[in-house]
Amino acid sequence: MVAYPAGLSHLPHQGLWLPSSVHPGAMVYAFLIHTLRAPQAQDMGLCRVLYSCVFGAENSPDDPRPHGAERDRLLRKEQILAVARQVESMCRLQQQASGRTPMDLQPQSSDEPVPLHEAPVGAFRLAAGDPFQEVRTVVWLGVLSLGFALVLDPHENLLLAEGTLRLLVRLLLDHLRLLTPSANLLLRADRIEGILARFLPHGQLLFLNDQFVQGLEKEFSAAWPR
Amino acid sequence: MFTAGAEGLLHQARGIQDEELQKFCSRVVKLLQKEELGPDAVDALQRLFLIVSATKYKRKLEKTCVDLLQTTLCAPKCPEQLQLLCTAILRERSPSDDLNLSCDHVQNSRQLSLVASVLLAQGDKKEEVRSVGQRAFRVLESRQPEGPSLRHLLPVVSKVTHLAPHTLHEDQTNLLSKRLVDWLRYASVQQGVPHTSGGFFSAPRARQPGPVTEVDGAVATDFFTVLSTGQHFTEDQWLNVQAFSMLRAWLLHSSPRGPSSPDTDDKSELEGSTLSVLSATSTASHLLPPQERLREKAFEYCQRLIEQSTRRALRKGDSDLQKACLVEAVLLLDVLCRQDPSFLYRTLSCLKALHARLCGDPARVRALLPIAQFFLNHGEAAAVDSEAILQHLFTRIPCELFHSPMLAFEFVCFCRDSLPVFGRNLDILRRSFPNLFKLLAWNSPALTSEFVALLPSLVDSGTAVEMLHALLDLPCLTAALDLQLRLSPAAAERPLWDVSLRNPSCLEASRDPQFQGLLQHLLRATASGTTERLAPLHQLLQPLASLTRVVQCAEAVPTLLQAFFSAVTQFADGALSNQLALLLLERSDSLYQVPQYEAHVHRVLSSQFLVLCARHPSLVVELAKELLEFVGSVSSVHSRETMLTAVVWAVGEYLSVSWDRRCTVEQINRFFEALEALLFEVTQSRPSATLPKCPPRVITVLMTTLTKLASRSQDLIPRVSLFLSKMRSLAQNPAPSSDRCGEDAGAVCTRAAELLTLLKMPSVAQFVLTPSAEVSEPRYHRDTNTALPLALRTVSRLVEKEAGLLLG
């Protein structure tokens, strides 16, 4: 392993030294939850990011101007919003193409589980520089008025990512009761964080078999009784 | 669900003023300073998180508040709920200059994990990644591998390795590799003991927990893996899961040689030479350096996973995990063989068997992609023919599973990413374009950009014509796929087609043998080398043309056509250009009728027709007969305005001896007559309700082209001058019935006047209207003594004079 001199790691383009193709990382870059507007209500309101978590940020640009940190944060927020918007439109296009309305997914009563395997799901690629420095893949899942997305490094095991996203959505729906009208995920960030810390720690996709999932879920339920 | 209430809350959080926020912060400070942190504190922090995260602009928090968040986060006895909230708030504020959090003295691995998630979000301006990495390894070194909570540490290590692999020292790399070997290969095969709280019903049980089982319930036959299961797990079993989850990334980062690009020549030589001398069995692996030993154990792990994936899982979750594990195992084997070719021999036999098994198992089809990738990467070195594997993949999978968005995306990514390693198998990829287009036709929104990148490699001179037909028929293919799904005998529990349209009339009609052949052609798996006129099929499938999926696909076609032509024009010779140009003319009135589709496609086709002409000007002379036929049909003016304009313009530009010596006066005269007749027809015919008026652009282009032709065959000048003055007076005094608006008439009038003036000096006209190729040289535009600026000045003076006369 070559330890580069300390100064080098601060070069604006670290990729110059370690091109991204050398690191087909097995990590998730970000997870987000956002709104999906109904197709007929598109001009009402905006696509809102309701929760987002970036696991280990991309390197900040060397920006000598004042308020660099603020601009950097603004950029990250805009990047996440750009992903949310794109997921929203992909989800809408897919749903329209299948001739279904989002309401077809609605369970008859709130006790009934949402048929997640029927929820619209998909993936698309984001080119380098738009909006992230590096190429990323987005895997998304839409449930009624909520969109869930994982932003991945390319070459990630997509099957595992898809499975993990389904698992996260299932857990969030169950433990935050997201589908009951009064539920509000905006003030329950601790639960979301608790679920992510266990099932997607630092953006690491985990190969969890059913018993491991149950074990972690029990541990979570003990810390956050429903 | 996202309700109006939530929207209101979001607005409130965004609108909160500094003063109010300050007050709120002091409340948070008070709550956090209490001895016992209760539900009030949780509630306050939840609100603070919302306030900080809901806006993209920086929120000013009091320093005492930020400091308290940091101390609370690090307080060992603080409940997890509060710790996570403090972490989330600090992370949401990142990058931030007022953070003084440090991981230097953190001992507890769970706490380190929390601190790391804040520090790693800072953007590495102060080398936070390095310090987190160093600290994580310090903790790792200080504990026994079976330490109670190392599993919180491994994801941190994994993330640091990913963000800044160069910050790790060699001994640290070796240490982790050794630990990973232990966790991967030697995790306990006995189940864990449940953590009893000592409640009334949970009397301590004396009996042993029993061995771990396989996913089908049988007692485990070998070492523990992520596919081993039980009621409870031991710590080292948890670490086994973590270790396997980070294994591929770790192997890639920690390899001293680094993964070389799979297609370098020196590597394949190496593989070839080592293959023969190395035996298939591993020898005394404990003597190997840590990296090699880890690879050895990783190989065993993969083999065990592949064996375990044959078992019939009792739970759905486990069955899904088996599929993901298969993919991961193959990806890992690929990495191993790239790093150490001695694995190749053992891997090949294993993957061949796996491939044979998976071919009959539609549920596990996604693992076929990494297998194909493997054979592409190593096939040559191992002297194995990957052709059969690719052949199966490309002919079977897309047509059976085009409707799965994830598979479609992964399949196209595989094609795009593997382009450099296809080598002599590239032909298989190219010939499979009709099948690949099915993925595109069904999933156009997600795949258009991928295909734009893929098309240049997909098209060659042999397939260009067939591919252009296929691209133009793409929306029709979407409709045919929808029909195919409706007709397929194995109806899925959930219909895959557009359910908003029930029982389209074409369902029964499509069984007619006359359509069957055409449908089969449209739905072919590989390039056939032939083209069929699909017009009857367009009519048959017309009821499906309004499907949203078809419309979406139609919207993508112009972009794809652009990508296609910019690739094809790079290599197309004269013959191919002629073929493509003819195809453009022919297909411009034979398109599947989707709303807006024709207009959008015509725009691309007409501009690409001009590009083809510019690259091969002889095209106009060689295709004179066909072009005459094309302009001879006046009915096309309205439906094919853009195409007609382009063709007429191209005739004016390139029908000249200076471009092609074969151009004759007779040819020019024949075009002149045809275009004259056309112009006469479009200007003299009275506009009616059924026939909209002819656009002025067509008229001016026709007039210009006629003038150009006349300047080359000067006997025609009197004729065209007469015509032009008629046009001018017609435009100046429009018939009362005509609804031609003033602006349009003005444009026609000005152009007619300009052309008339030009024709008064035939030699200038010829020079201006048929400039020689030299004119494009910069010299002609810079040097005032060369002929062009001189001529332009003369002409503009003449035109101005004439215009002055007109006005006066």
Side-chain angles (χ1 to χ4, degrees):
Chain A
M1 193 89 234
V2 188
Y4 288 104
L8 289 185
S9 62
H10 274 282
L11 282 176
H13 295 290
Q14 209 179 14
L16 231 147
W17 294 89
L18 299 152
S20 58
S21 58
V22 176
H23 301 293
M27 300 296 275
V28 175
Y29 175 73
F31 169 74
L32 56 151
I33 308 175
H34 57 91
T35 58
L36 297 174
R37 286 165 295 165
Q40 63 274 15
Q42 254 177 65
D43 27 349
M44 285 160 52
L46 299 158
C47 174
R48 302 253 187 233
V49 175
L50 301 177
Y51 172 87
S52 71
C53 178
V54 173
F55 304 100
E58 289 186 321
N59 280 4
S60 296
D62 271 330
D63 188 351
R65 293 173 296 172
H67 306 295
E70 271 174 58
R71 258 196 308 280
D72 203 10
R73 180 170 183 276
L74 182 69
L75 172 71
R76 289 187 202 173
K77 284 282 191 185
E78 293 282 8
Q79 286 171 332
I80 294 294
L81 184 60
V83 175
R85 285 203 199 104
Q86 211 160 331
V87 170
E88 189 192 32
S89 88
M90 286 292 178
C91 183
R92 190 175 58 239
L93 288 167
Q94 195 187 100
Q95 214 144 37
Q96 287 171 342
S98 66
R100 289 182 178 78
T101 60
M103 285 305 133
D104 290 355
L105 251 180
Q106 185 101 52
Q108 296 309 307
S109 74
S110 57
D111 296 334
E112 220 176 297
V114 181
L116 269 190
H117 63 277
E118 289 189 10
V121 64
F124 58 89
R125 214 186 311 209
L126 297 168
D130 183 23
F132 300 105
Q133 288 168 25
E134 286 173 37
V135 182
R136 310 266 184 211
T137 301
V138 177
V139 180
W140 58 266
L141 186 91
V143 184
L144 302 174
S145 59
L146 295 177
F148 301 83
L150 291 175
V151 182
L152 310 167
D153 293 313
H155 306 288
E156 180 55 278
N157 183 333
L158 263 188
L159 207 50
L160 180 64
E162 188 190 338
T164 306
L165 182 60
R166 283 182 194 280
L167 172 65
L168 288 176
V169 173
R170 204 266 294 158
L171 291 166
L172 289 167
L173 294 182
D174 282 2
H175 291 270
L176 278 84
R177 294 183 180 275
L178 285 187
L179 296 181
T180 52
S182 59
N184 196 346
L185 72 89
L186 290 173
L187 289 178
R188 299 172 125 187
D190 52 332
R191 280 174 193 253
I192 308 178
E193 295 279 335
I195 288 172
L196 289 182
R198 284 169 178 78
F199 294 91
L200 191 63
H202 292 270
Q204 174 77 61
L205 292 175
L206 294 175
F207 289 85
L208 296 173
N209 68 36
D210 216 58
Q211 288 296 329
F212 276 103
V213 171
Q214 282 190 26
L216 283 175
E217 205 176 345
K218 261 185 216 155
E219 189 193 302
F220 175 78
S221 299
W224 275 272
R226 271 199 248 185
Chain B
M1 223 181 296
F2 189 66
T3 54
E7 176 84 27
L9 199 62
L10 210 54
H11 270 288
Q12 222 182 322
R14 285 183 173 187
I16 193 167
Q17 297 298 311
D18 279 351
E19 218 172 292
E20 239 177 310
L21 180 59
Q22 225 166 6
K23 259 191 244 165
F24 186 68
C25 278
S26 346
R27 212 186 120 219
V28 171
V29 168
K30 265 186 215 134
L31 285 168
L32 289 182
Q33 279 166 337
K34 278 192 194 169
E35 195 79 347
E36 279 286 298
L37 298 171
D40 295 358
V42 173
D43 182 67
L45 287 178
Q46 279 170 335
R47 281 169 201 279
L48 187 59
F49 174 81
L50 178 62
I51 292 168
V52 171
S53 67
T55 169
K56 56 189 177 186
Y57 302 108
K58 190 185 162 79
R59 281 292 188 190
K60 177 115 190 66
L61 299 189
E62 270 180 58
K63 189 171 177 306
T64 41
C65 182
V66 177
D67 289 346
L68 254 176
L69 287 172
Q70 297 180 41
T71 36
T72 313
L73 153 63
C74 295
K77 282 187 184 156
C78 176
E80 185 192 356
Q81 210 176 355
L82 284 159
Q83 279 184 323
L84 284 176
L85 279 169
C86 292
T87 313
I89 294 166
L90 293 170
R91 194 194 62 223
E92 268 297 319
R93 296 183 76 238
S94 65
S96 112
D97 300 322
D98 56 359
L99 194 80
N100 50 20
L101 200 62
S102 151
C103 57
D104 288 347
H105 303 288
V106 182
Q107 289 296 333
N108 180 309
S109 69
R110 220 182 66 80
Q111 220 167 60
L112 180 61
S113 164
L114 293 169
V115 174
S117 74
V118 178
L119 290 179
L120 295 181
Q122 297 303 315
D124 208 24
K125 292 280 260 190
K126 298 181 192 152
E127 297 223 318
E128 289 94 348
V129 180
R130 177 192 290 270
S131 57
V132 168
Q134 293 306 316
R135 189 70 223 163
F137 270 95
R138 199 72 44 77
V139 177
L140 195 69
E141 284 157 14
S142 67
R143 284 169 181 271
Q144 293 300 306
E146 56 274 11
S149 54
L150 273 184
R151 69 178 158 114
H152 298 288
L153 203 64
L154 283 186
V156 179
V157 172
S158 185
K159 193 84 215 182
V160 169
T161 322
H162 176 64
L163 289 172
H166 54 278
T167 57
L168 304 183
H169 305 304
E170 196 182 338
D171 49 342
Q172 291 173 329
T173 309
N174 285 342
L175 170 79
L176 185 58
S177 292
K178 276 187 209 157
R179 292 277 163 95
L180 287 174
V181 165
D182 291 340
W183 295 323
L184 282 173
R185 192 59 179 78
Y186 304 107
S188 165
V189 285
Q190 293 293 311
Q191 294 190 27
V193 190
H195 297 286
T196 48
S197 51
F200 182 74
F201 293 105
S202 54
R205 271 174 257 173
R207 71 184 170 92
Q208 279 292 311
V212 291
T213 58
E214 303 285 351
V215 285
D216 59 0
V219 170
T221 52
D222 205 336
F223 61 93
F224 186 89
T225 72
V226 293
L227 287 176
S228 305
T229 184
Q231 288 295 313
H232 300 278
F233 297 104
T234 60
E235 192 61 26
D236 61 355
Q237 287 164 351
W238 280 103
L239 286 163
N240 182 286
V241 172
Q242 296 272 10
F244 179 67
S245 301
M246 67 181 285
L247 182 58
R248 183 158 57 100
W250 176 254
L251 282 173
L252 285 167
H253 295 311
S254 62
S255 158
R257 262 173 61 197
S260 48
S261 62
D263 54 338
T264 47
D265 290 339
D266 57 328
K267 196 195 76 205
S268 37
E269 269 171 34
L270 191 75
E271 284 185 9
S273 61
T274 42
L275 188 63
S276 50
V277 288
L278 284 158
S279 71
T281 52
S282 63
T283 48
S285 75
H286 60 279
L287 296 173
L288 296 170
Q291 278 303 303
E292 282 178 42
R293 186 144 186 267
L294 176 59
R295 284 199 282 261
E296 193 62 45
K297 297 301 164 193
F299 181 78
E300 289 169 18
Y301 201 101
C302 290
Q303 286 204 308
R304 170 123 168 88
L305 284 182
I306 291 172
E307 179 265 313
Q308 282 179 302
S309 68
T310 57
R311 291 173 181 273
R312 205 182 171 77
L314 298 176
R315 296 184 175 88
K316 169 144 196 325
D318 291 345
S319 151
D320 289 344
L321 187 68
Q322 279 179 314
K323 293 171 201 162
C325 283
L326 265 183
V327 170
E328 189 71 13
V330 179
L331 290 173
L332 265 166
L333 289 171
D334 183 47
V335 172
L336 293 174
C337 290
R338 272 193 273 162
Q339 294 187 343
D340 183 352
S342 65
F343 285 110
L344 205 48
Y345 180 75
R346 286 180 278 171
T347 307
L348 276 174
S349 56
C350 159
L351 286 190
K352 270 188 198 158
L354 179 62
H355 181 261
R357 177 152 70 81
L358 293 182
C359 281
D361 188 352
R364 295 181 181 192
V365 82
R366 300 244 315 249
L368 290 176
L369 288 172
I371 293 180
Q373 179 78 62
F374 181 94
F375 280 96
L376 278 175
N377 286 345
H378 304 283
E380 207 167 321
V384 180
D385 201 4
S386 36
E387 200 183 318
I389 285 167
L390 291 172
Q391 203 70 263
H392 170 266
L393 188 71
F394 281 102
T395 49
R396 293 281 306 281
I397 308 305
C399 55
E400 285 167 14
L401 293 159
F402 61 88
H403 47 74
S404 155
M406 294 300 282
L407 176 99
F409 174 76
E410 213 168 5
F411 201 104
V412 177
C413 286
F414 158 76
C415 295
R416 194 181 154 183
D417 296 340
S418 315
L419 278 175
V421 288
F422 262 103
R424 62 200 170 87
N425 289 312
L426 193 60
D427 203 41
I428 300 181
L429 176 74
R430 285 184 168 157
R431 273 190 289 114
S432 308
F433 80 82
N435 243 0
L436 294 177
F437 278 8
K438 289 177 193 166
L439 304 175
L440 175 61
W442 198 258
N443 307 281
S444 59
L447 296 185
T448 303
S449 60
E450 301 299 315
F451 268 89
V452 165
L454 191 60
L455 272 176
S457 312
L458 218 50
V459 64
D460 62 7
S461 52
T463 51
V465 169
E466 195 181 343
M467 193 182 290
L468 181 54
H469 274 293
L471 279 174
L472 291 168
D473 284 323
L474 209 59
C476 187
L477 176 61
T478 313
L481 290 171
D482 188 277
L483 184 76
Q484 191 190 29
L485 287 175
R486 286 170 200 263
L487 289 169
S488 70
E493 51 184 294
R494 192 177 73 120
L496 297 161
W497 55 88
D498 188 336
V499 288
S500 63
L501 181 73
R502 287 175 216 281
N503 301 321
S505 51
C506 51
L507 220 53
E508 274 314 303
S510 67
R511 297 186 202 272
D512 190 312
Q514 69 149 330
F515 295 124
Q516 279 299 314
L518 292 179
L519 268 174
Q520 271 167 21
H521 175 75
L522 185 61
L523 295 170
R524 68 198 180 278
T526 53
S528 64
T530 59
T531 53
E532 296 267 351
R533 290 193 58 83
L534 293 179
L537 212 52
H538 293 167
Q539 271 170 10
L540 172 80
L541 295 173
Q542 199 53 46
L544 301 174
S546 57
L547 292 181
T548 313
R549 197 182 293 279
V550 176
V551 175
Q552 284 174 4
C553 177
E555 280 165 3
V557 170
T559 314
L560 294 159
L561 285 174
Q562 294 279 14
F564 169 84
F565 278 107
S566 56
V568 165
T569 41
Q570 300 299 316
F571 61 78
D573 57 2
L576 181 58
S577 295
N578 284 2
Q579 261 183 303
L580 292 172
L582 272 184
L583 198 160
L584 294 186
L585 300 180
E586 180 199 317
R587 288 303 308 265
S588 66
D589 77 338
S590 166
L591 292 170
Y592 188 43
Q593 293 298 310
V594 181
Q596 299 294 311
Y597 182 54
E598 201 173 67
H600 292 160
V601 166
H602 280 179
R603 216 166 296 156
V604 182
L605 293 189
S606 56
S607 67
Q608 292 304 328
F609 179 79
L610 289 176
V611 173
L612 287 172
C613 291
R615 285 190 161 251
H616 300 279
S618 303
L619 187 154
V620 177
V621 174
E622 285 164 9
L623 299 181
K625 186 170 152 278
E626 289 82 0
L627 293 179
L628 268 172
E629 266 169 33
F630 183 82
V631 297
S633 53
V634 75
S635 67
S636 66
V637 175
H638 302 287
S639 62
R640 288 196 271 178
E641 181 205 330
T642 41
M643 281 309 289
L644 182 73
T645 315
V647 169
V648 173
W649 179 261
V651 168
E653 279 293 286
Y654 302 108
L655 190 71
S656 152
V657 208
S658 60
W659 288 112
D660 193 323
R661 290 180 171 281
R662 290 168 293 174
C663 176
T664 60
V665 178
E666 287 76 51
Q667 243 171 2
I668 292 180
N669 288 349
R670 233 175 296 141
F671 268 100
F672 185 89
E673 267 158 34
L675 295 179
E676 193 188 34
L678 181 61
L679 182 58
F680 185 80
E681 215 161 325
V682 297
T683 51
Q684 304 298 309
S685 68
R686 305 239 160 222
S688 65
T690 49
L691 208 62
K693 69 191 170 80
C694 180
R697 199 161 87 100
V698 177
I699 297 178
T700 50
V701 170
L702 272 167
M703 291 193 306
T704 312
T705 298
L706 284 171
T707 313
K708 284 178 182 172
L709 295 180
S711 76
R712 286 165 213 164
S713 172
Q714 302 199 344
D715 296 347
L716 299 168
I717 290 182
R719 242 166 102 179
V720 79
S721 294
L722 188 68
F723 205 111
L724 287 173
S725 36
K726 258 200 236 165
M727 287 303 301
R728 191 173 58 177
S729 56
L730 194 75
Q732 274 171 335
N733 314 302
S737 65
S738 154
D739 60 347
R740 198 179 294 288
C741 65
E743 214 172 298
D744 286 5
V748 172
C749 180
T750 316
R751 177 61 62 92
E754 285 168 358
L755 295 171
L756 271 171
T757 319
L758 257 181
L759 284 173
K760 283 182 186 157
M761 299 179 73
S763 53
V764 176
Q766 192 177 13
F767 181 78
V768 173
L769 295 173
T770 318
S772 59
E774 288 171 332
V775 164
S776 56
E777 283 174 22
R779 188 171 65 85
Y780 268 79
H781 300 267
R782 290 202 201 112
D783 188 351
T784 44
N785 296 323
T786 51
L788 186 68
L790 199 67
L792 282 175
R793 266 200 307 279
T794 316
V795 172
S796 57
R797 227 174 285 143
L798 275 167
V799 171
E800 274 162 24
K801 201 170 133 205
E802 189 78 4
L805 285 176
L806 272 174
L807 289 172

